[in-house]
Amino acid sequence: MRRAWQVLAWALLMALPLAAQDLEVRIFQLLNRPAEATVEPVRMVLSPAGTVMPDPRTQTLIVRDHSEALQRVGELLQRLDVPAPLIRLTVGFDGSAGHSGQVAGVAWDPARDRWTARGGIRQAGVRTTGRQDLLVMSGEEARLVVARDLVEVRPYWTLARDRGLVPPGVVFQQVSTGFLVRPRAAGEQITVEVVPWFSYLGPDGPGDVRFTEAATTLRVPEGQTVDLAGTSFQTEASRRAFGLVMAGGADGSWESARLTLSARIQPDWSK
């Protein structure tokens, strides 16, 4: 069965259109970390033509790219595939949804003249709530996506421009928002660094903006839930970044935005 799954994944990758004739496919076996927790670091060293597909059943990564990129992946995995605590983060978010786009898995259906929910996220009035589970190795970074494909981009562009976080003249066409989370385990203690973040699509391609001045580190007792609200930030710029990421800050309503975090060390990542 595992062999059949690998053959299917290989076939799917090979069916993708070739950006160049020298793309290769290689399967990397992981011994000390789950495949799904390794996709994001691997994706960061791929070329624009590269793809990575995890196979949780066999704990392998199926990577398709140029030979130079595949060599980078192998070198990266030599450093990453070592025993380390795996942390399961459960993140809940609650904020206003005043923008057009797929906000936290919720989209506007003009035919029905109402919001429709997707992916287990629900919409009530102008409030959006949701929950995501992440598996992250201790000390590594993962992305929590709150909103996708927002077309009301001016508030994001204005804040990023005012803080000097984008080059002059850059144009936003779409924006997706979220948080970068980096958990660390020291014994039974867990801390989680949270950084508001958004990505944008422009005429020259995609880009990322990190609001590092709005970063905060939370101590999360294992099995307990901690809150992060818009009013938790000390500066107006930080509150605006938090509210915008929650897709509710364009009108200054960050005070009602709220994020909850719980963390649990998972000693045996195979379970």
Side-chain angles (χ1 to χ4, degrees), residues 67-233:
S67 58
E68 296 85 355
L70 293 175
Q71 182 176 349
R72 292 197 298 269
V73 171
E75 294 171 352
L76 175 68
L77 293 180
Q78 285 184 353
R79 301 194 301 271
L80 293 184
D81 192 18
V82 296
L86 179 67
I87 300 173
R88 182 179 296 275
L89 293 177
T90 300
V91 186
F93 47 90
D94 183 2
S96 301
H99 304 303
S100 58
Q102 298 179 18
V103 181
V106 180
W108 178 257
D109 186 346
R112 300 181 182 180
D113 194 33
R114 65 181 178 86
W115 291 93
T116 57
R118 300 177 181 176
I121 311 301
R122 65 183 183 275
Q123 176 76 17
V126 294
R127 303 292 303 174
T128 298
T129 61
R131 179 178 130 164
Q132 293 183 28
D133 290 308
L134 303 173
L135 282 174
V136 192
M137 304 297 288
S138 177
E140 296 185 6
E141 184 177 271
R143 296 190 178 195
L144 164 70
V145 178
V146 174
R148 293 183 177 89
D149 303 331
L150 301 174
V151 295
E152 188 179 342
V153 301
R154 179 170 292 276
Y156 303 92
W157 177 83
T158 300
L159 180 59
R161 180 204 59 188
D162 292 347
R163 311 310 297 178
L165 299 175
V166 292
V170 69
V171 176
F172 292 1
Q173 295 175 335
Q174 286 184 345
V175 166
S176 296
T177 73
F179 295 91
L180 304 173
V181 291
R182 187 188 300 272
R184 297 182 185 276
E188 297 182 355
Q189 299 296 318
I190 303 173
T191 58
V192 183
E193 182 184 25
V194 181
V195 182
W197 150 89
F198 73 80
S199 65
Y200 62 87
L201 178 64
D204 298 326
D208 279 354
V209 175
R210 300 180 178 217
F211 293 99
T212 54
E213 71 174 88
T216 186
T217 299
L218 305 173
R219 186 179 299 276
V220 186
E222 187 168 8
Q224 298 183 29
T225 300
V226 298
D227 287 0
L228 179 64
T231 52
S232 303
F233 296 94

